[in-house]
Amino acid sequence: MTTAGYINLIIAKYNYWIYIVLMCIGLWAMIAKRNLIKKIIGMNILQTAIILFYVSIATKKGATLPILGHHDAGHFVDYATVINPLPHVLMLTAIVVSVATLGVALALAMKIYNRYDTLEEDEIHARVRES
Amino acid sequence: MIWQLEFIILLLVVVCAFAALKVRDLLGAAVLFSIYSFLMCLLWAIMGAVDVAFTEASVGAGVSTVFFVAAVFRTTRRSRD
């Protein structure tokens, strides 16, 4: 591929690169941050980045919302004019799952705070070792 | 789909995500994460996924912010990183 080809790959698909940046920010927070609440925020950023990627692959150029009126019932629908609604439905489930995981993770973080009086991972490790 | 608007909101989303992880006050991090969720909801409304957008507006920007604020209120506001 030529240099112009690479530049075109970066410029024309800029939204995918931004999704990759968001996923990397989330993964970095889950791995490198020491505070448990920051780790949970990173997990949520990773989840929403993946949901954003799936929603964006459903869009089409010049297409409209996948809602049919009364006069469309029973008629042929041109699929090039409506956005693909299947990834939307799947990601709707993913949003609900992400809120459930967020609630469980925050409850566990609160339990850990009640026991060890800190939310920092290294301090928790030190207290686990000395007890 | 207006690509300039989408591009500006995408940049704001990245800035908000980074700021939510960098700020040392956990309550500030929760508020910045709420802004991040709401910008994400705007992005999905632009992309034509209105059902996903209003689920995210109620669940992501509403309920998770309440969860975060409640958890920070029950634990501590300060963070070392």
Side-chain angles (χ1 to χ4, degrees):
Chain A
M1 202 188 277
T2 58
T3 317
Y6 280 118
I7 290 171
N8 196 37
L9 187 70
I10 292 171
I11 300 294
K13 307 256 191 301
Y14 70 92
N15 48 351
Y16 292 106
W17 293 103
I18 294 179
Y19 309 155
I20 290 170
V21 167
L22 272 179
M23 280 184 211
C24 289
I25 288 175
L27 264 181
W28 164 74
M30 282 175 78
I31 294 168
K33 286 282 170 184
R34 282 195 303 264
N35 192 285
L36 291 181
I37 303 279
K38 291 282 177 69
K39 275 180 190 287
I40 295 168
I41 290 177
M43 183 182 78
N44 256 289
I45 288 172
L46 179 65
Q47 281 170 337
T48 43
I50 291 168
I51 294 170
L52 183 62
F53 170 68
Y54 269 85
V55 168
S56 81
I57 60 175
T59 57
K60 294 171 190 166
K61 206 169 207 166
T64 177
L65 299 182
I67 299 170
L68 304 182
H70 288 297
H71 54 278
D72 293 322
H75 288 264
F76 172 73
V77 177
D78 185 10
Y79 292 110
T81 62
V82 289
I83 296 167
N84 185 8
L86 181 65
H88 297 178
V89 182
L90 295 175
M91 290 310 114
L92 215 54
T93 326
I95 289 175
V96 177
V97 171
S98 85
V99 169
T101 52
L102 172 73
V104 173
L106 284 175
L108 286 176
M110 279 159 69
K111 275 288 182 193
I112 290 170
Y113 182 80
N114 286 342
R115 172 119 188 226
Y116 295 107
D117 266 337
T118 179
L119 281 175
E120 308 291 328
E121 199 187 9
D122 44 350
E123 291 175 17
I124 293 167
H125 279 310
R127 276 173 214 192
V128 167
R129 241 178 265 120
E130 76 193 24
S131 63
Chain B
M1 175 164 25
I2 311 157
W3 79 266
Q4 289 92 342
L5 188 64
E6 197 192 332
F7 185 67
I8 291 168
I9 292 178
L10 268 172
L11 285 184
L12 275 176
V13 157
V14 175
V15 168
C16 278
F18 200 68
L21 294 170
K22 269 293 166 195
V23 72
R24 295 204 167 208
D25 184 8
L26 285 181
L27 198 63
V31 171
L32 278 166
F33 185 69
S34 159
I35 297 170
Y36 168 86
S37 293
F38 192 74
L39 287 173
M40 207 57 122
C41 148
L42 286 182
L43 211 51
W44 291 334
I46 291 171
M47 285 177 179
V50 274
D51 46 352
V52 185
F54 61 68
T55 309
E56 173 74 10
S58 64
V59 162
V63 177
S64 19
T65 310
V66 172
F67 281 0
F68 269 116
V69 171
V72 170
F73 183 68
R74 291 278 193 99
T75 58
T76 177
R77 257 180 90 164
R78 111 196 133 70
S79 152
R80 276 204 289 109
D81 60 357

